[in-house]
Amino acid sequence: MTQTLTIPRPDDWHLHLRDGAMLKAVLPETARHFGRAIIMPNLVPPVVTGADASAYRDRILAAMPEGADFTPLMTLYLTEETDPEDVAKAAADGLVHAVKLYPAGATTNSASGVTDFDKVRPVLEKMAEIGLPLCLHGEVTDPDIDIFDREAVFIDRVLDPIRKATPGLRVVMEHVTTADAVAYVQGAPKDLAATITAHHLVINRNHILVGGIRPHYYCLPVAKREVHRQALVTAATSGDARFFLGTDSAPHIDALKEHACGCAGCFTATNAVSVVAEIFDRESALDQLAAFLSLNGATHYKLPVSVRTLTLRKGEHCTYPSKIDSDDGPVTVFDPGFPLHWSVTTGK
Ligand code: NCD
Ligand code: ZN
């Protein structure tokens, strides 16, 4: 008997679309399955002002494939020079849906991020006042902190102090990778939520390092031990409204991934929905799939749940291309390392 599942159209609450040729290549991959996405602002140079976000949004809309029905939700890149009034205006205009905080140097294109958190206090206070969410890349950059500990240390040193100093600020801890982050979010009030990627539900650090180094599994925050992956799966499938999908699909051309100093980022836009469905099916948690993919994020961002739908069908192996082409070069699609059975059929 064919098994099908119809859910409200999913949203991606953390997505890198890049610009130029790469934007053109990756946008159709997301627009095929997702209705909306929170668009990361870490371009070079970054999307800092409302005017930058408006221009970037126009470039995304111009690159949209024929017939696509996809809404980019823009964000601003928080710098120590960000003007609270510019943020407030961009939010009031309905242009910007979040501000992203990158600790300076934490990840790809984060050089203009924040070093002195006191300097961004007026912006955070304004955001708390107007109800605009703060998205955080939750890793410290202190060279003394082991890369596998950087998320857990961030909670104590940065996230908790920011939340205590700015009551009412709505925060999304992005791409959580540890049981520590899951527990912190579970123990916090509803104004704190977390995104989880498709790939962190699948890989642990062995996938990156055992039997040879696998650059296409390298992303930041880097995947941790198996016990942490299991905590993420438990959180994602629990139905807890504070956890939702943010793919962090982050395309880099193969030449820069398969490199002596390879870029961080997994490209999952193409198959993320099928990968997540497979994980939920294995956990006998398909009844929670809509919450994770389509409901919880909309609620946190105070946006309506999509009225459109997406239907998944379980069958023989469903296949995706192993790479997509861009005018800059090929981009490898995330390989979960196991067969996928849930294909996405027509959506409305
Ligand atoms: C992202 C990128 O490539 O822009 N890379 C990644 O490993 N996730 C940046 C980010 O979200 O950290
Ligand atoms: Zn990201």
Side-chain angles (χ1 to χ4, degrees), residues 180-265:
D180 313 58
V182 166
Y184 182 76
V185 173
Q186 284 168 336
K190 296 268 183 282
D191 59 5
L192 178 65
T195 56
I196 301 178
T197 74
H199 52 282
H200 288 116
L201 294 175
V202 174
I203 60 167
N204 62 37
R205 63 194 201 178
N206 282 10
H207 290 83
I208 311 170
L209 296 169
V210 172
I213 189 155
R214 293 177 207 272
H216 296 289
Y217 289 149
Y218 174 62
C219 69
L220 289 169
V222 68
K224 312 293 192 297
R225 290 174 181 275
E226 175 61 9
V227 64
H228 294 289
R229 187 195 69 83
Q230 286 171 6
L232 300 177
V233 171
T234 302
T237 56
S238 67
D240 184 331
R242 286 168 294 195
F243 298 98
F244 39 87
L245 178 71
T247 65
D248 193 18
S249 179
H252 295 274
I253 56 168
D254 284 354
L256 294 177
K257 291 287 294 174
E258 299 163 8
H259 191 274
C261 182
C263 294

Side-chain angles (χ1 to χ4, degrees), residues 28-265:
E29 301 301 300
T30 287
R32 197 175 296 130
H33 294 165
F34 294 93
R36 295 170 291 202
I38 283 279
I39 309 302
M40 287 295 126
N42 63 332
L43 304 182
V44 189
V47 178
V48 174
T49 63
D52 295 341
S54 176
Y56 185 29
R57 187 171 183 277
D58 288 347
R59 298 199 296 279
I60 295 169
L61 295 177
M64 200 77 86
E66 192 68 31
D69 188 356
F70 171 76
T71 307
L73 305 172
M74 308 311 291
T75 63
L76 298 179
Y77 186 115
L78 184 60
T79 72
E80 292 175 8
E81 281 75 48
T82 295
D83 171 8
E85 293 312 319
D86 182 60
V87 172
K89 180 167 185 315
D93 290 347
L95 171 69
V96 154
H97 292 264
V99 171
K100 177 73 188 255
L101 189 162
Y102 292 96
T107 186
T108 309
N109 304 339
S110 60
S112 331
V114 178
T115 305
D116 180 352
F117 293 94
D118 284 338
K119 292 213 174 114
V120 296
R121 179 135 310 288
V123 182
L124 300 184
E125 274 159 17
K126 176 57 83 178
M127 289 169 62
E129 182 192 318
I130 63 176
L132 187 67
L134 176 72
C135 297
L136 286 162
H137 183 104
E139 289 188 290
V140 292
T141 53
D142 185 335
D144 293 342
I145 306 295
D146 188 278
I147 191 161
F148 292 102
D149 298 332
R150 288 180 175 199
E151 182 173 287
V153 172
F154 180 87
I155 296 169
D156 293 337
R157 287 201 193 161
V158 184
L159 177 55
D160 201 56
I162 284 183
R163 292 189 53 250
K164 288 204 171 112
T166 327
L169 181 65
R170 291 191 13 254
V171 176
V172 184
M173 192 174 179
E174 301 286 0
H175 42 50
V176 291
T177 59
T178 56
D180 313 58
V182 166
Y184 182 76
V185 173
Q186 284 168 336
K190 296 268 183 282
D191 59 5
L192 178 65
T195 56
I196 301 178
T197 74
H199 52 282
H200 288 116
L201 294 175
V202 174
I203 60 167
N204 62 37
R205 63 194 201 178
N206 282 10
H207 290 83
I208 311 170
L209 296 169
V210 172
I213 189 155
R214 293 177 207 272
H216 296 289
Y217 289 149
Y218 174 62
C219 69
L220 289 169
V222 68
K224 312 293 192 297
R225 290 174 181 275
E226 175 61 9
V227 64
H228 294 289
R229 187 195 69 83
Q230 286 171 6
L232 300 177
V233 171
T234 302
T237 56
S238 67
D240 184 331
R242 286 168 294 195
F243 298 98
F244 39 87
L245 178 71
T247 65
D248 193 18
S249 179
H252 295 274
I253 56 168
D254 284 354
L256 294 177
K257 291 287 294 174
E258 299 163 8
H259 191 274
C261 182
C263 294

